[in-house]
Amino acid sequence: MKSETQTRPAPRSRGRRLGAFVFLSPGLAYLVVLLLVPLALVLSYTVFQRGRFGGVVYEFTTENFARLLDPLYLGVLGDSLQIAALTTLIALLLGYPTAYVIAQLPSRWKTAALVAIVLPFWTNFIIRVYAWIILLSGPGLVNSVLGTQLELLYKQGTIVVGLLYSYLPLMVLPLYAAIEKLDPQLREASANLGASGFTTFRKVTLPLTVPGVLTGCMFVFVPSFGNFVIPEILGGSKTLMVGNVVRNEFLKARDWPFASTVTLALIAVLVVLLLAQAWAARRA
């Protein structure tokens, strides 16, 4: 039989727990107020009806989920996945060599290169997006330089360019971190064993940087998939993405139940991708 002294937690242990709770409280409050409560509201609204003049009528229905299967919204979801995936792929193809070159630079130039990568974030996001209108419009800089009158705006390709410009640094930075922490002796050993530069990259560098690749892909894909500002400014009314549907249903149509259902679908897709990314990272 244990004595009373053995069963009671030591005062020092209780103090550590209390201290940990005090330090975690702001973060927990932040998660509860700004994440869990809104998420619970979104989940609950999906099974209710839209009011006659907007808002929510608390009468159970499954109509919102049936409406989500409409070919129109499935097409929007497919377009959003396609645009986000294409943006992520191009960002990876551009970001990997960029990060690799930065990691090989002398120390004094690495800082300058990294500052250049994050420099666009020092400017307002909306201003940066509108700058592309000046560049790509009919009498814009690109047409002036090329001597053409190409219609470059309001196309899916323009949206990809805008997303790529905005989120490419989110691909470069985790790739740089993954490449930077590689042990140089591994590549030296591969070279000493007679492997070519490409073989060393394919069998040593690339496999060891897969976690950085997966992290960068998620950093680019997630904001690209749910973005609504860039598609609206650079895509006009010709291209509709999931983020635009959510915004329009919440603010214009005031159909909060259906907007919540679309939001739930968007969250479900992202959760599946995050789980896939975590699974792939564990196996890497």
Side-chain angles (χ1 to χ4, degrees):
M1 181 177 178
K2 294 181 179 179
S3 66
E4 185 178 356
T5 305
Q6 289 175 318
T7 55
R8 286 182 179 176
R12 180 176 294 180
S13 177
R14 289 201 301 270
R16 283 200 296 267
R17 292 177 185 174
L18 179 61
F21 178 76
V22 170
F23 280 110
L24 288 175
S25 294
L28 292 175
Y30 176 88
L31 288 176
V32 171
V33 174
L34 298 180
L35 180 63
L36 297 182
V37 172
L39 185 59
L41 287 174
V42 167
L43 289 174
S44 63
Y45 285 173
T46 59
V47 295
F48 294 129
Q49 300 179 17
R50 177 185 183 273
R52 183 176 180 182
F53 301 104
V56 181
V57 174
Y58 295 97
E59 296 180 4
F60 180 81
T61 182
T62 58
E63 182 182 345
N64 297 313
F65 293 96
R67 186 179 169 192
L68 190 62
L69 300 177
D70 187 286
L72 172 65
Y73 298 110
L74 291 179
V76 171
L77 183 63
D79 288 343
S80 302
L81 287 171
Q82 179 183 354
I83 291 173
L86 182 59
T87 303
T88 305
L89 177 61
I90 298 175
L92 177 60
L93 295 177
L94 295 177
Y96 200 105
T98 303
Y100 190 87
V101 170
I102 293 175
Q104 310 309 315
L105 290 175
S107 299
R108 64 179 182 278
W109 289 109
K110 286 182 183 177
T111 303
L114 292 174
V115 170
I117 291 294
V118 300
L119 197 60
F121 284 103
W122 296 1
T123 307
N124 183 276
F125 178 77
I126 301 296
I127 294 175
R128 283 186 282 133
V129 176
Y130 270 105
W132 280 100
I133 294 181
I134 299 174
L135 293 173
L136 300 177
S137 62
L141 181 63
V142 173
N143 276 324
S144 298
V145 171
L146 298 177
T148 60
Q149 287 296 322
L150 298 174
E151 293 291 337
L152 301 174
L153 285 174
Y154 312 127
K155 297 179 178 179
Q156 281 196 3
T158 313
I159 297 174
V160 172
V161 170
L163 293 172
L164 188 62
Y165 167 74
S166 299
Y167 300 128
L168 182 60
L170 301 182
M171 176 68 79
V172 173
L173 295 179
L175 284 172
Y176 166 77
I179 297 171
E180 177 69 12
K181 71 178 184 181
L182 277 180
D183 187 350
Q185 293 182 348
L186 295 175
R187 283 177 286 186
E188 291 176 5
S190 176
N192 291 336
L193 291 173
S196 64
F198 178 73
T199 302
T200 299
F201 172 79
R202 185 168 58 86
K203 293 190 174 182
V204 178
T205 304
L206 186 58
L208 292 177
T209 55
V210 166
V213 171
L214 295 173
T215 302
C217 288
M218 291 307 299
F219 281 1
V220 174
F221 185 89
V222 170
S224 299
F225 184 56
N227 196 289
F228 65 91
V229 175
I230 292 176
E232 182 159 319
I233 295 176
L234 298 181
S237 59
K238 294 182 178 179
T239 303
L240 200 62
M241 293 183 67
V242 174
N244 300 101
V245 174
V246 173
R247 197 280 306 270
N248 292 341
E249 294 295 332
F250 263 119
L251 301 181
K252 293 183 178 179
R254 289 179 54 77
D255 191 347
W256 292 5
F258 182 64
S260 299
T261 308
V262 178
T263 303
L264 180 63
L266 192 151
I267 293 173
V269 172
L270 295 181
V271 167
V272 169
L273 291 174
L274 286 172
L275 292 175
Q277 186 259 349
W279 176 81
R282 283 198 303 270
R283 293 178 61 88

